[in-house]
Amino acid sequence: MRRMIGKILNCYGIPATVAGKTVRIFFQPSLSKSWQSSEPIVGPLGQIPGGQYLYIGPAELEITAGAQVTVAGKSYIFRRCEAYRDGSGPVYWWGLCVGKGGEDTWGSQA
């Protein structure tokens, strides 16, 4: 299964830099149904995006909360990450990220 996920990431993933290594990952905005994600926040310069992103990456590159991923020149911080495992070990890494810099709204409700 790990090899199959690796082939899928290599074929359909986007390039990113994690821990100084260039890898191919899946990275997309989170479609969470939480209150924070469904209520738009408007500041003086317009609407502020929710800013949470889902990461799926290769099994061989272990990630930890607080690590950084760079996608298309923009940096994101991992807030939560877990390895998806089968009987033979890690298959891929899952993570939830927020944009680096600016106001950190992780866990806020307003």
Side-chain angles (χ1 to χ4, degrees), residues 41-49:
I41 300 170
V42 180
L45 298 177
Q47 185 169 340
I48 300 169

Side-chain angles (χ1 to χ4, degrees), residues 24 32 48 80-81 93-94 101 104-105 107:
R24 296 187 73 82
S32 169
I48 300 169
R80 183 172 175 194
C81 35
W93 278 88
W94 170 92
D104 186 357
T105 58

Side-chain angles (χ1 to χ4, degrees), residues 16-18 25 27 55 67-71 74-78 97:
T17 303
V18 182
I25 65 170
F27 196 78
Y55 165 99
Q68 180 175 304
V69 59
T70 303
V71 178
K74 185 161 173 61
S75 295
Y76 303 86
I77 303 294
F78 286 100
C97 306

Side-chain angles (χ1 to χ4, degrees), residues 17-40:
T17 303
V18 182
K21 297 180 181 176
T22 300
V23 293
R24 296 187 73 82
I25 65 170
F26 289 143
F27 196 78
Q28 65 182 28
S30 172
L31 299 178
S32 169
K33 302 292 183 202
S34 70
W35 179 85
Q36 178 184 349
S37 298
S38 63
E39 294 290 323

